[in-house]
Amino acid sequence: MLFTRLAPVLISLLPVATANEARDRAEEGLLTLQDWYNDGTGLWDTIGWWNGANCMTAIADLASIDPSVMETANYVFNNTLIKAPPQNPHPGPETKANAKRDFVPRAVSSANVSDWLDSAYDDDGWWALAWIAAYDVTEDNTYLSLAEDIFAALTKAWGTRCGGGGLPWNPTSDYVNAITNELFLSVAAHLANRVPSRKEDYVRWARKEWDWFAAQGFFGENNTINDGLLDNCQNNGQTVWSYNQGVILGGLVELNHASPNNTYLESANTIAKAAIATLADSNHVIHDFCETSSCEPDATQFKGIFMRNLLMLHSASPHDLYKSVIVNSAESIWKRDRNEQGQFGVNWAGPPTMGKLDASTHSSAFDALVAAASL
Ligand SMILES: *[C@@H]1O[C@H](CO)[C@@H](O)[C@H](O)[C@H]1NC(C)=O
Ligand SMILES: *[C@@H]1O[C@H](CO)[C@@H](O)[C@H](O)[C@H]1NC(C)=O
Ligand SMILES: *[C@@H]1O[C@H](CO)[C@@H](O)[C@H](O)[C@H]1NC(C)=O
Ligand SMILES: *[C@@H]1O[C@H](CO)[C@@H](O)[C@H](O)[C@H]1NC(C)=O
C-alpha cells in the first residue's frame, strides 16, 4: 500500500452511512456542484470542456437512482445541449463528422455533432458517454443519436500504427494512449446495448478495440495500465492513473452484456483488483500518484471516473473488496475531505485544503458519493 502515511485513521472503525444517508450526501454534493454551473455557458466554472462531460455523467447517474434530482438533471441536459457548443475549444470539422459512415442510415439528429468534437478524441469519447448517460435517464433519442454521431466520427480515426489499429490521441499526434482507446471501447459497448438495429456493428467495434488493446503493451507490471505507448509501440511506463484502470471496467461490463464471454469479466476483475492494490490506501480510499505534488489541471477528475466504473463492475460481478473501496472512499470524502462550504478536495483522505479545490475536485468526489448511494 503506497499511501498508508496519508491516512493514519482507521475509517473501517467508524460507522458508515446508511443507504438514506448515502443518498442525502450525494444530493448535497450535487447542490454544491451546481453552484459552479454556469447557465450561460452550459458548463461548470473553474473547469474545462471534457470535465463538463464528467459532471454531466455523474449527475445523470445520480438521477438514475434518485428521482428527486431528475429536474436538475433535465435542466442540465437541455441547457448544456444548447449553450455549451460555443465553448467547444476546437469545434470538429463538419466534413469529417458527417463523412459517409459504414452504418445503416439513420434518422438525422437535431444536435450538430461538430459541436461536440474538439479534435481530442478522448474529449469526444467523454461527451459520447455523457449523452448516453443522459439518454439512459430521459430516453430522449436526441441524446442517443448525438452519441452515435460522435462515435461514427471516432471510427474515422481508427489508426494503423501500433498493431495495425487503435486510435491516436488526436488527429495531429502519433501518441497512442490508453484512455482514448478505453473510451472508444466503452462508447461502442454502451451503444451496442442501446441501439438494437446496429448492435452487431457496435459489438464488432468494441471487440475489435478490446482484442487490439489487450494485445498491445498498455499493461505494465502487476496488471495495471500505464498511460500509453512509446513511438516503438512498447509500454511507455508513464503514470498508472486511476481513470485508466476505470473506463476499461465499464467498457468490458457493457461488452459482456451485449455479447457475453467469460473472459471479459475475468479481465475486468483482474484489472480492478490490480488497481485497488496499487491505488488504494490501507483504509481502502483511492488515490492518484499526483496528490503528493499537484494533480492540476486534468488529474483532479480521474478518481471519480474510476469509482463510477468500479460500481459498474460491482453491479455485474459483486465483490466485497469493491464495495469496501466504494463505501470507504465515500465515507472518507464526507468526513475528511469536505470544507465548510460542502466542497470536496483532491485528496479523499483529506484535508480539503490540500491542493486547489474546484468543480473538478468536487465533481470527482461527487462521483464517488453517487457510487456509494447506488450500492
Ligand atoms: C427538456 O426537458 C424536458 C423535461 O424536463 C423535456 O420534456 C424536453 O423535451 C427537453 N427539451 C429539449 C430541447 O431537449
Ligand atoms: C454544425 O457546426 C459546424 C461547426 O460549428 C458548422 O460549421 C456547421 O455549419 C453546423 N451545421 C449545421 C447544419 O448547423
Ligand atoms: C508492482 O508491485 C511491486 C510489489 O508491490 C512493486 O514493488 C512495484 O513497484 C510494482 N510495479 C509497478 C510498475 O507499479
Ligand atoms: C472470448 O473472448 C476471448 C478474448 O477476446 C477470445 O479469444 C475468445 O475467442 C472469445 N470466445 C468466444 C466464444 O467468442
Side-chain angles (χ1 to χ4, degrees), residues 20-312:
N20 279 343
E21 277 169 345
R23 209 180 48 186
D24 290 348
R25 290 173 181 184
E27 287 173 6
E28 251 190 85
L30 174 59
L31 277 177
T32 307
L33 176 61
Q34 290 310 88
D35 288 343
W36 279 287
Y37 187 68
N38 183 322
D39 302 290
T41 63
L43 295 172
W44 288 261
D45 288 340
T46 70
I47 60 176
W49 174 251
W50 80 275
N51 308 82
N54 281 284
C55 292
M56 207 172 88
T57 304
I59 292 172
D61 285 355
L62 180 58
S64 75
I65 56 148
D66 183 352
S68 77
V69 307
M70 198 61 218
E71 198 181 327
T72 302
N74 255 322
Y75 174 72
V76 167
F77 306 150
N78 278 349
N79 191 62
T80 294
L81 187 71
I82 296 162
K83 300 283 182 56
Q87 310 304 318
N88 181 330
H90 194 261
E94 190 173 30
T95 45
K96 181 165 204 168
N98 294 350
K100 192 170 167 296
R101 55 164 91 178
D102 49 5
F103 286 126
V104 188
R106 44 172 290 283
V108 177
S109 159
S110 57
N112 180 347
V113 67
S114 305
D115 289 341
W116 301 94
L117 306 173
D118 78 345
S119 294
Y121 298 133
D122 50 349
D123 291 3
D124 303 347
W126 294 120
W127 278 109
L129 288 178
W131 291 119
I132 290 168
Y135 167 77
D136 282 350
V137 291
T138 59
E139 296 180 4
D140 185 332
N141 278 310
T142 300
Y143 304 144
L144 186 61
S145 298
L146 177 53
E148 285 200 86
D149 287 348
I150 293 171
F151 183 76
L154 287 174
T155 62
K156 310 292 176 224
W158 185 261
T160 52
R161 236 171 54 78
C162 295
L167 270 71
W169 184 16
N170 67 55
T172 56
S173 159
D174 278 339
Y175 185 36
V176 176
N177 62 354
I179 197 61
T180 305
N181 287 285
E182 294 183 28
L183 285 164
F184 184 87
L185 161 64
S186 189
V187 175
H190 275 81
L191 291 174
N193 290 314
R194 287 158 181 80
V195 188
S197 60
R198 275 178 297 284
K199 179 172 177 174
E200 309 239 307
D201 281 319
Y202 290 127
V203 166
R204 188 169 49 80
W205 273 116
R207 237 191 239 144
K208 186 168 157 175
E209 173 66 66
W210 170 242
D211 289 345
W212 173 85
F213 188 95
Q216 305 310 307
F218 291 105
F219 288 88
E221 271 184 330
N222 308 338
N223 291 317
T224 50
I225 298 171
N226 291 93
D227 194 66
L229 305 179
L230 294 166
D231 284 347
N232 68 6
C233 299
Q234 288 174 359
N235 186 301
N236 70 4
Q238 295 300 308
T239 309
V240 173
W241 294 115
S242 58
Y243 78 155
N244 273 328
Q245 328 305 309
V247 172
I248 194 81
L249 306 180
L252 288 169
V253 166
E254 289 281 334
L255 176 55
N256 183 61
H257 186 69
S259 176
N261 177 331
N262 289 339
T263 65
Y264 299 148
L265 290 186
E266 275 168 28
S267 298
N269 279 306
T270 301
I271 296 165
K273 287 173 192 164
I276 291 167
T278 303
L279 301 175
D281 64 27
S282 55
N283 295 319
H284 285 176
V285 176
I286 293 291
H287 295 271
D288 264 311
F289 288 101
C290 56
E291 288 164 22
T292 48
S293 50
S294 168
C295 297
E296 291 163 35
D298 290 326
T300 47
Q301 199 71 47
F302 294 172
K303 297 190 294 294
I305 293 161
F306 175 76
M307 301 301 285
R308 184 197 304 157
N309 285 279
L310 183 65
L311 173 73
M312 287 176 74

Side-chain angles (χ1 to χ4, degrees), residues 333-345:
I333 288 164
W334 192 258
K335 299 248 169 76
R336 309 183 194 295
D337 188 32
R338 184 171 50 121
N339 70 13
E340 284 172 5
Q341 291 88 54
Q343 303 164 332
F344 309 126

